[in-house]
Amino acid sequence: MRRICVFCGSSMGISPRYAEQAAALGKLLAQRGIGLVYGGASVGTMGVVADAALAAGGEVIGVIPEALSSVEIAHAGLTELHVVADMHERKAKMAALSDGFLALPGGAGTLEELFEVWTWAQLGLHGKPIGLVDVDGYYAPLMTFADHMVTEGFLKDGYRQLLLADADPAALLDRFETYEPPAPPKWAKEAPGI
């Protein structure tokens, strides 16, 4: 793994554990020599994970839409900052720069980014691992709902298994190292790209 994209919030959340775990993840990535790709902001848990990675000597690449660069306050001290036209370009750029995806607790934007890369994996557009850093059970309801989608016949179990979840980000990164993507869907013409 050369770089991991981390989806997280422009807010801190109500528990101090969210910021603590964002900082721990940023430091862990740097210690393992894995670059951080994220949304480019200096606020919320986005700023925390970036600052921690930078403080530990890590590479940090931000990707932020022009319209959000002042609202989310673009981080000025990154290794690289890409200012892009819109959210679609942001997500595509982050995916192209990354070898895997982790989601820290976050809001609707975090979930939107997560669901898009999960959908891309189902469609065979990429074969990169996707993990949820399940801080204090934050993602437990989502995992229960994903199981419900399987039970109700809207999601194949193999696609449910694309989402890896663990409270320990080090354990997720270990699983990423040995991750084998599922075979591409029968309609995919070639192996996963992005």
Side-chain angles (χ1 to χ4, degrees):
M1 295 272 132
R2 189 166 160 236
R3 293 184 184 130
I4 297 289
C5 179
V6 176
F7 303 130
C8 49
S10 59
S11 298
M12 290 291 212
I14 61 170
S15 170
R17 293 264 305 139
Y18 300 138
E20 289 168 10
Q21 290 302 304
L25 176 59
K27 181 178 179 181
L28 176 65
L29 290 172
Q31 289 172 336
R32 290 199 179 191
I34 300 171
L36 166 65
V37 176
Y38 85 115
S42 62
V43 296
T45 54
M46 283 199 283
V48 172
V49 71
D51 288 342
L54 289 166
E59 173 193 52
V60 181
I61 300 173
V63 184
I64 193 165
E66 190 172 5
L68 293 180
S69 64
S70 60
V71 176
E72 288 185 349
I73 311 170
H75 199 299
L78 304 179
T79 310
E80 293 177 31
L81 178 64
H82 299 268
V83 180
V84 296
D86 54 36
M87 291 297 286
H88 297 291
E89 190 177 341
R90 177 195 225 179
K91 291 179 291 183
K93 183 74 169 175
M94 289 193 302
L97 290 169
S98 304
D99 301 310
F101 307 92
L102 285 175
L104 285 165
T110 300
L111 291 178
E112 190 270 337
E113 292 167 330
L114 169 66
F115 275 84
E116 185 154 15
V117 296
W118 186 21
T119 302
W120 289 350
Q122 289 177 53
L123 295 173
L125 299 177
H126 74 78
K128 302 172 185 181
I130 305 166
L132 306 175
V133 183
D134 193 23
V135 179
D136 296 337
Y138 184 83
Y139 280 114
L142 176 61
M143 300 308 285
T144 298
F145 186 69
D147 291 337
H148 179 65
M149 288 190 282
V150 172
T151 300
E152 294 300 313
F154 287 100
L155 180 68
K156 291 183 180 181
D157 186 59
Y159 295 151
R160 157 61 184 84
Q161 300 307 319
L162 291 170
L163 286 183
L164 310 174
D166 202 298
D168 180 6
L172 283 170
L173 290 177
D174 291 343
R175 290 170 73 185
F176 277 24
E177 291 296 333
T178 60
Y179 179 77
E180 291 289 332
K186 59 186 171 192
W187 62 83
K189 297 191 184 333
E190 56 188 59
I194 300 183

